[in-house]
Amino acid sequence: MRKTLLIAMLAAVLLAAPAFASVQNIKLSGDITTQYVVRDNLDFGASKTSNFYQSFPLTQTRLNVAADLTDNVQAVVGLINERVWGAEDETINGSATGQVGTTDVQLNLAYVTLREMLYSPLTVVVGRQNFKYGNSFIIDSAGANNTIASGTGLTGIANDLTARRAQDAVRLIFDYNPLTLEFLASKIDSNNASGFNPNKDDVDLYGVNATYNLGDNWDTVTEAYLFGKIDNSTTGLAGIKADSVYAPGLRASTNPIKGLNVQGEVAWQRGNKANTSATTSNDNVRREAIAGQLIANYMLPFEKLAQYSPVLTGVYTYLSGDKDPLDFGNQSANGRGAQSDYKAWDPMFENQAGGTIYSALFDFTNSHIALLSAQVKPIEDVTAKASWTGIWLDKQVNAPANAIVSDFTQRVPGVAGGTVTQKVTSNKAVGWEVDGDVTYDYTEDVQLGVSAGVFFPGDFFFIAQEPAHQLIGKAAVKF
């Protein structure tokens, strides 16, 4: 029923558009992506009574309508449907949780772009939209690791694969070529907006990002930013402040020799970490986290290999951790002590490793991550890529006194509640993953592909150490 209403409303808007505004041009676009997903042992064998195994096809359909009202005004509306085949029940994910069925169509995009607003360098974008900054190290509207969409046909099945990842935001973009200055204000969660018993309980994201192209022979681009995430929804005793993260950072990209691109980024996090499990008031601790990333992409210059377009990539990522993330503030959750600062990196809205096993399972924090990959085009229209990723903890997980293991909660798509509890040691080796991807450009608008991955848990995991497997076949059509 809701699907029919949404489609009818969209049709009515399009038919009635000439009555409300002079439309210069209307463009219809979209895509249909069908995947077959097989996932095995993503709990590393922790569930001894029942093995974790998934095997299902899914289809993601998006339909976008862009209307150019004038040369400087554009309105975009996008609808989306995500569903697992054969799961048409309106309560497939459980009506008691408020999740919708897999046949429903939802609003994915709804924004207006105003160019040369007030004066020529300014562009304003208002509404539900997609955006990203730099390499999505800090902020991306998708936020695959954190903003898992609820109320879709993939909720509780394969949350990390959802394509519904836009944010409600306002962006002010000032183009002073070669300088671009952008201001962002995004509403993550309005919580109580009824007007009755109003509370200051919203979750907001703010930011300013400056990009400057040096115009040198190396095509060097520099970037500076400051993002802030303010969470007023924290609950607890009187005196607990908003949970806040302020992340200033710097990024640079340059091409010192032909075929080689080198990038570096460093960011800090300050603000307040609110201990909502506190047993006393005023339990707030300052954040003192740091993260950095180095990236090198090199297209091999050898003439004999040129036809294969070989590219080697190396990435090193550092994300600070806390010696005991459960114990901080005036009174810790379990009474084992207190800390004067909180050093664990908050993932915020990163989006860097979507589709991999480790990204689906672990938060983007407390890690050293090394990635090596090689990509080639063995024949025309075919691209093959092989990757290796190793993960080590920055800080060891603090086990209780005189104990050899401690509980560790691991996110697992498809598991009730979204997590499983693992027994772990204090060893820093989390594990390593091997991925292989092959894509075939059947036509300019049709792409076929297959992706396979295996994650081998390291000595960090105690007892349960079975490898996790993933195989995804995909057919995507854009129009």
Side-chain angles (χ1 to χ4, degrees):
M1 181 64 180
R2 279 173 288 186
K3 174 181 69 175
T4 304
L5 287 175
L6 278 172
I7 294 176
M9 289 172 62
L10 178 59
V13 169
L14 293 176
L15 291 173
F20 296 99
S22 59
V23 180
Q24 290 186 349
N25 181 47
I26 293 180
K27 179 181 179 181
L28 184 68
S29 64
D31 57 81
I32 301 174
T33 301
T34 299
Q35 303 180 72
Y36 196 96
V37 180
V38 178
R39 285 175 162 177
D40 181 37
N41 269 334
L42 264 66
D43 60 348
F44 303 150
S47 302
K48 296 299 182 182
T49 57
S50 58
N51 295 327
F52 177 88
Y53 179 78
Q54 290 181 310
S55 176
F56 56 87
L58 66 91
T59 295
Q60 297 162 299
T61 306
R62 292 182 288 190
L63 178 64
N64 302 319
V65 177
D68 294 322
L69 307 183
T70 69
D71 290 341
N72 295 326
V73 179
Q74 183 186 63
V76 175
V77 176
L79 303 179
I80 187 171
N81 171 259
E82 300 181 307
R83 64 184 185 87
V84 174
W85 288 15
E88 302 296 331
D89 189 348
E90 289 291 325
T91 60
I92 181 65
N93 292 318
S95 58
T97 63
Q99 296 169 353
V100 299
T102 60
T103 57
D104 279 2
V105 175
Q106 295 124 0
L107 185 68
N108 186 42
L109 299 172
Y111 65 90
V112 176
T113 302
L114 306 173
R115 299 179 182 86
E116 298 185 7
M117 185 177 180
L118 301 181
Y119 77 129
S120 58
L122 175 60
T123 297
V124 179
V125 186
V126 182
R128 190 163 185 82
Q129 58 189 284
N130 291 316
F131 53 84
K132 59 173 290 187
Y133 298 97
N135 293 312
S136 301
F137 186 55
I138 307 293
I139 300 296
D140 189 307
S141 61
N145 215 343
N146 304 280
T147 57
I148 295 175
S150 61
T152 77
L154 299 185
T155 303
I157 300 174
N159 312 49
D160 60 306
L161 298 181
T162 181
R164 186 171 177 247
R165 291 170 173 170
Q167 288 188 19
D168 298 308
V170 176
R171 291 190 295 148
L172 307 180
I173 306 168
F174 296 85
D175 187 358
Y176 302 111
N177 187 35
L179 171 67
T180 300
L181 189 63
E182 184 167 334
F183 294 87
L184 165 72
S186 177
K187 180 68 66 175
I188 306 303
D189 196 339
S190 288
N191 285 312
N192 181 16
S194 66
F196 295 95
N197 299 318
N199 297 307
K200 187 180 180 181
D201 58 2
D202 292 4
V203 182
D204 298 299
L205 173 66
Y206 302 101
V208 56
N209 188 90
T211 304
Y212 188 79
N213 193 325
L214 298 185
D216 58 1
N217 294 332
W218 293 2
D219 195 20
T220 303
V221 176
T222 59
E223 189 173 5
Y225 53 81
L226 172 62
F227 295 104
K229 182 180 68 171
I230 316 299
D231 185 353
N232 281 296
S233 68
T234 54
T235 59
L237 300 178
I240 293 184
K241 302 177 183 177
D243 191 271
S244 59
V245 183
Y246 299 99
L250 300 169
R251 173 180 169 270
S253 173
T254 189
N255 304 276
I257 61 175
K258 183 179 179 180
L260 175 63
N261 174 258
V262 179
Q263 301 183 40
E265 185 167 356
V266 61
W268 300 263
Q269 287 185 345
R270 300 295 183 265
N272 177 68
K273 175 65 177 177
N275 187 356
T276 57
S277 300
T279 57
T280 184
S281 61
N282 300 310
D283 214 354
N284 304 285
V285 178
R286 69 177 181 269
R287 291 181 181 270
E288 296 285 349
I290 188 172
Q293 188 171 70
L294 294 174
I295 302 175
N297 291 289
Y298 188 41
M299 179 174 286
L300 299 182
F302 310 116
E303 292 185 7
K304 292 183 179 181
L305 299 177
Q307 61 178 321
Y308 302 115
S309 301
V311 178
L312 300 179
T313 300
V315 181
Y316 169 72
T317 303
Y318 169 72
L319 309 159
S320 66
D322 193 90
K323 63 182 179 181
D324 198 335
L326 297 180
D327 288 343
F328 58 89
N330 297 328
Q331 177 65 43
S332 64
N334 55 23
R336 291 212 303 268
Q339 298 176 203
S340 60
D341 52 22
Y342 184 79
K343 297 182 178 180
W345 181 258
D346 188 302
M348 295 191 72
F349 298 94
E350 66 81 24
N351 183 28
Q352 289 207 322
T356 62
I357 297 174
Y358 72 89
S359 179
L361 301 185
F362 308 118
D363 286 327
F364 198 61
T365 186
N366 189 25
S367 303
H368 298 268
I369 305 174
L371 180 147
L372 297 173
S373 69
Q375 177 178 296
V376 296
K377 291 187 175 181
I379 59 176
E380 186 179 3
D381 297 327
V382 174
T383 301
K385 182 179 180 181
S387 305
W388 176 92
T389 305
I391 307 172
W392 299 265
L393 294 182
D394 175 45
K395 300 293 184 186
Q396 295 183 354
V397 172
N398 192 5
N402 301 319
I404 61 172
V405 297
S406 64
D407 290 335
F408 173 76
T409 300
Q410 172 186 312
R411 187 173 57 247
V412 174
V415 173
T419 61
V420 297
T421 299
Q422 296 280 16
K423 293 292 185 179
V424 301
T425 71
S426 60
N427 190 287
K428 291 187 177 182
V430 176
W432 54 282
E433 179 169 343
V434 177
D435 294 285
D437 301 272
V438 178
T439 58
Y440 170 48
D441 296 324
Y442 180 72
T443 68
E444 186 179 69
D445 303 312
V446 179
Q447 187 179 77
L448 308 176
V450 62
S451 174
V454 182
F455 183 92
F456 299 88
D459 293 337
F460 172 67
F461 294 94
F462 183 79
I463 300 176
Q465 296 187 34
E466 299 179 18
H469 309 90
Q470 175 176 272
L471 180 64
I472 301 177
K474 180 171 70 174
V477 180
K478 296 181 180 180
F479 56 88

